[in-house]
């Protein structure tokens, strides 16, 4: 039978992305294996991948940390974290297969003997479990340790892949605290690893809904024609959290909300929302378009007017009394660190000239929600009486990243009855209702991509540096001027943020 023209048989097409992508022979080495991220996200993600049949049978996991543990102690820690945090049900046979490939190397990062043992263990696993020399090194450690760890990997011959195999480095944020320090870090890492060996994690890019921004825009015809300055009034990108800083005082104080999430997650969301269509869905084409749009981002000329930072004060959250930031354990009572930040940016190109992109994030806000709202201009002319449309606001398309993942379109509709009255209604797409599959955790997707060498969802050096170019002047301005405004925990942030939008005749959405 002849093939229908243009149709490619998926069974014959190795590029078909609907087929489950299964990692080839490989292993993962985690530095900083005792940390929160490793216990809550990385170990459960590895188990979930194994449970979904996406890891090879001989997959191996090596933990490296300053603990006096044997292999069995490490396996027990992984076991506990999997039981507590994994997404899929616990299955003894999957666990056993995974546990057989677990090893632990105790040691400091400057301990040559420990790295020699790591090298031996990698060789041993290659022979015993067929990992074929393919290893990814996950640096889940504070950036001050990056130089030492990558140098040790080099010194002990671990960064160079044996013939026919691969070695990769996975790096967690923060990628520096400003442009200068990010450049230094990048230099240190690239002295040892080539650019295509380095995978920088921005876990927002691993979220289903974030990947769906591209599907929504570029796989459909109805959105793209109006996705520009002729129809869009402004864009609001919100990442609100109800939690405080928890036990992360050491990391958070001095860093603050803008460095923590605007520099990476929110600017990536902006880039995906505003970029042009890439020529192909591959890493090179995506990076090229994201980079172009980040380069076009204009920092506000009046930073006092168009940026706001806040700090949470004591209040109520979910029926519980919570302390203010300055009373949190381990926080300097004089700290000027922002736990809320809002900025108004413009994308200075033909598509977006004059359209403000308002970004905001905060801890201890009203509720946990991340969304991108594209708010459209009002109809240029209305044949109805003013009273008919009094209750009508602007059309909007809202991509709900989390929770209740989905997309909502808001538009005006006639209220049933004899008079003409038009009010806002919404049309809702909810992942939970349209699909039976539940979404994988971001870290499942990203770890699998690392093992497959698929770099689409990982920001490149240039994107990281460009994001710091945007944030640095804002942080400098805040350093030189005053303190963050206090806002009561459980509310929607400082008053100044509302005033910032009110000056433009707009208001923040209350999701
Ligand atoms: C991290 C930040 O990158 O993202 C945290 O460092 C924040 O401060 C977290 O809480 C939020 O992630 P998610 O996936 O829960 O939105």
């Amino acid at each position: 039978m002849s093939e229908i023209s243009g149709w490619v048989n998926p069974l014959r097409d190795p590029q078909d992305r609907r087929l489950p992508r299964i990692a080839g022979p490989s292993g993962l080495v985690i530095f900083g294996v005792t940390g929160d991220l490793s216990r809550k996200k990385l170990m459960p993600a590895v188990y979930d991948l194994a449970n979904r049949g996406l890891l090879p049978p001989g997959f191996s996991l090596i933990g490296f940390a300053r603990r006096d543990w044997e292999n069995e102690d490490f396996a027990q820690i992984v076991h506990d974290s999997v039981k507590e945090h994994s997404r899929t049900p616990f299955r003894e046979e999957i666990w056993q297969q995974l546990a057989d490939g677990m090893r632990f190397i105790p040691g400091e990062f400057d301990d040559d003997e420990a790295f020699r043992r790591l090298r031996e263990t990698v060789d041993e696993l290659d022979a015993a479990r067929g990992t074929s020399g393919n290893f990814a090194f996950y640096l889940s450690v504070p950036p001050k340790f990056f130089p030492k760890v990558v140098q040790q990997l080099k010194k002990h011959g671990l960064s160079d892949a044996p013939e026919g195999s691969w070695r990769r480095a996975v790096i967690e944020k923060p990628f520096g605290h400003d442009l200068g320090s990010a450049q230094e870090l990048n230099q240190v890492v690239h002295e040892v690893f080539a650019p295509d060996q380095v995978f920088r994690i921005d876990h927002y890019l691993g979220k289903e809904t974030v990947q769906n921004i591209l599907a929504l825009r570029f796989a459909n015809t109805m959105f793209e024609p109006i996705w520009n300055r002729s129809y869009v009034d402004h864009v609001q990108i919100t990442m609100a959290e109800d939690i405080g800083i928890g036990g992360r005082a050491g990391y958070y104080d001095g860093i603050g909300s803008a460095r923590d999430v605007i520099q990476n997650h929110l600017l990536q969301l902006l880039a995906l929302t505003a970029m042009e269509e890439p020529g192909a869905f591959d890493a090179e084409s995506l990076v090229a378009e994201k980079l172009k749009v980040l380069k076009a981002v204009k920092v506000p000329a009046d930073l006092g007017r168009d940026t706001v930072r806040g700090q949470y004060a004591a209040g109520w959250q979910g029926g519980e009394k919570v302390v203010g930031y300055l009373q949190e354990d381990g926080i300097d009572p004089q700290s000027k660190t922002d736990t809320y930040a809002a900025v108004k940016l413009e994308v200075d190109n033909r598509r977006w000239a004059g359209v403000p992109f308002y970004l905001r994030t905060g801890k201890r806000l009203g509720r946990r929600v991340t969304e991108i709202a594209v708010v459209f201009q009002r109809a240029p002319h209305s044949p109805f009486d003013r009273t008919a449309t009094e209750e009508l606001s602007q059309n909007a398309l809202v991509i709900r990243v989390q929770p209740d993942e989905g997309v909502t379109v808001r538009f005006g509709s006639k209220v049933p009855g004899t008079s003409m009255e038009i009010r806002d209604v919404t049309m809702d797409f909810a992942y939970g209702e349209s699909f039976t599959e539940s979404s994988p955790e971001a870290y499942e997707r990203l770890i699998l991509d690392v093992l497959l060498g698929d770099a689409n969802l990982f920001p490149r050096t240039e994107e990281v540096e460009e994001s710091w170019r945007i944030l640095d002047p804002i942080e400098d301005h805040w350093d030189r001027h005053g303190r963050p405004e206090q806002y009561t925990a459980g509310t929607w942030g400082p008053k100044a943020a509302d005033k910032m939008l009110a000056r433009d005749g707009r208001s923040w959405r209350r999701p």
Side-chain angles (χ1 to χ4, degrees):
M1 197 177 82
S2 68
E3 277 191 353
I4 300 163
S5 127
W7 183 77
V8 185
N9 182 346
L11 298 175
R12 290 198 213 143
D13 179 10
Q15 299 297 317
D16 187 333
R17 297 180 77 99
R18 291 170 304 178
L19 299 174
R21 300 175 314 137
I22 299 172
S26 52
L28 181 68
V29 180
I30 305 181
F31 293 96
V33 83
T34 55
D36 247 26
L37 179 75
S38 172
R39 281 188 309 104
K40 291 193 181 144
K41 298 287 181 189
L42 307 184
M43 294 170 181
V46 166
Y47 170 80
D48 287 326
L49 286 172
N51 208 4
R52 292 164 62 204
L54 302 179
L55 296 184
F59 180 80
S60 303
L61 179 68
I62 307 178
F64 187 114
R66 206 175 47 182
R67 286 288 151 82
D68 199 11
W69 288 344
E70 299 291 335
N71 290 337
E72 297 71 41
D73 303 316
F74 174 56
Q76 186 60 44
I77 299 285
V78 182
H79 179 269
D80 295 348
S81 95
V82 165
K83 279 232 145 159
E84 194 175 347
H85 300 290
S86 67
R87 183 176 65 89
T88 60
F90 190 82
R91 289 199 285 158
E92 193 57 40
E93 68 277 17
I94 299 289
W95 167 253
Q96 266 318 321
Q97 191 171 24
L98 203 55
D100 287 348
M102 285 184 197
R103 304 286 186 275
F104 184 72
I105 310 290
E108 308 271 348
F109 298 140
D110 58 1
D111 179 353
D112 282 327
E113 178 51 30
F115 275 83
R116 208 182 44 71
R117 280 202 305 279
L118 177 59
R119 167 87 199 243
E120 278 171 14
T121 306
V122 163
D123 293 343
E124 179 247 312
L125 288 167
D126 274 347
R129 293 182 58 87
T131 37
S132 301
N134 298 325
F135 275 86
F137 301 99
Y138 200 123
L139 275 66
S140 179
V141 296
K144 65 176 181 219
F145 296 120
F146 287 5
K148 192 76 232 171
V149 177
V150 295
Q151 280 152 17
Q152 288 284 55
L153 290 173
K154 172 95 191 148
K155 182 170 169 191
H156 293 273
L158 284 154
S159 54
D160 298 323
E163 186 70 25
S165 55
W166 52 258
R167 294 290 156 95
R168 294 176 186 138
V170 187
I171 307 182
E172 268 292 339
K173 73 182 187 62
F175 312 122
H177 59 268
D178 58 12
L179 178 58
S181 56
Q183 284 170 328
E184 272 170 37
L185 273 183
N186 282 331
Q187 197 183 340
V188 163
V189 173
H190 289 307
E191 271 165 19
V192 173
F193 289 99
D196 63 355
Q197 286 181 287
V198 180
F199 290 72
R200 287 177 189 76
I201 299 263
D202 183 320
H203 79 281
Y204 264 61
L205 296 181
K207 292 184 190 273
E208 282 292 329
T209 33
V210 172
Q211 294 164 52
N212 192 38
I213 301 171
L214 296 183
L216 181 93
R217 293 189 54 198
F218 302 129
N220 297 302
T221 47
M222 57 196 277
F223 304 114
E224 217 37 31
I226 52 169
W227 211 258
N228 56 52
R229 67 186 304 275
S230 305
Y231 296 92
V232 175
D233 177 70
H234 71 280
V235 177
Q236 291 188 21
I237 304 182
T238 299
M239 175 185 168
E241 294 186 281
D242 50 3
I243 53 169
I245 52 151
R248 297 167 79 216
Y251 158 76
Y252 202 86
D253 205 33
I255 295 279
S257 58
R259 287 192 176 100
D260 185 35
V261 302
I262 292 187
Q263 185 271 338
N264 36 74
H265 309 328
L266 294 199
L267 284 175
Q268 285 289 327
L269 293 184
L270 179 149
L272 294 172
T273 307
M275 71 188 229
E276 295 301 318
E277 180 176 322
F281 190 59
D282 60 35
E284 292 309 320
S285 317
L286 287 167
V287 168
E289 293 305 336
K290 281 196 286 171
L291 200 52
K292 247 166 51 192
V293 97
L294 287 171
K295 279 183 196 284
V297 169
K298 213 167 65 183
V299 178
D302 188 341
L303 290 164
R305 216 183 100 104
D306 291 331
T307 72
V308 170
R309 71 196 150 137
Q311 197 178 60
Y312 62 83
W316 289 85
Q317 195 111 48
E320 249 179 60
K321 201 163 175 38
V322 295
V323 298
Y325 179 73
L326 298 178
Q327 292 86 50
E328 297 274 15
D329 281 349
I331 298 297
D332 171 4
Q334 302 303 319
S335 176
K336 283 169 63 180
T337 298
D338 50 287
T339 62
Y340 176 101
V343 298
K344 173 182 173 182
L345 299 173
E346 286 197 13
V347 178
D348 209 8
N349 61 21
R350 181 173 279 245
R351 187 195 277 255
W352 295 115
V355 177
F357 282 71
Y358 300 103
L359 274 51
R360 67 174 160 164
T361 184
K363 301 258 185 218
R364 288 267 184 250
L365 295 184
R367 61 177 279 230
R368 173 174 185 252
V369 60
T370 299
E371 63 163 43
I372 300 161
V374 179
V375 182
F376 294 92
Q377 296 169 15
R378 289 185 187 279
H381 167 259
S382 168
F384 308 107
D385 290 345
R386 196 180 47 78
T387 50
T389 53
E390 243 168 14
E391 301 267 332
L392 180 67
S393 58
Q394 286 160 275
N395 295 168
L397 185 142
V398 182
I399 300 170
R400 280 193 314 281
V401 173
Q402 63 188 25
D404 312 324
E405 290 83 350
V407 179
T408 294
V409 179
R410 182 180 72 198
F411 57 98
S413 180
K414 181 183 174 307
V415 179
T418 48
S419 63
M420 180 50 92
E421 189 189 344
I422 300 169
R423 239 191 260 160
D424 286 334
V425 292
T426 57
M427 220 155 61
D428 257 309
F429 147 60
Y431 271 74
E433 283 170 20
S434 298
F435 301 113
T436 47
E437 303 90 340
S438 68
S439 300
E441 277 281 320
Y443 277 97
E444 283 171 55
R445 169 70 199 243
L446 296 176
I447 290 174
L448 181 63
D449 281 358
V450 169
L451 300 176
L452 288 164
D454 183 340
N456 280 12
L457 301 179
F458 298 84
R460 292 280 173 86
T461 323
E462 299 88 325
E463 289 171 74
V464 172
E465 294 186 1
E466 208 47 56
S467 304
W468 283 119
R469 176 195 64 77
I470 298 165
L471 200 59
D472 275 359
I474 299 173
E475 292 282 355
D476 279 355
H477 174 83
W478 288 346
D479 268 356
R480 282 182 283 108
H481 295 91
R483 303 185 57 82
E485 181 186 324
Q486 299 269 308
Y487 60 96
T488 307
T491 65
W492 280 96
K495 303 232 171 4
D498 293 333
K499 287 186 197 144
M500 179 174 115
L501 258 71
R503 273 196 298 269
D504 291 351
R506 302 186 174 103
S507 58
W508 291 109
R509 286 170 47 79
R510 288 280 178 264

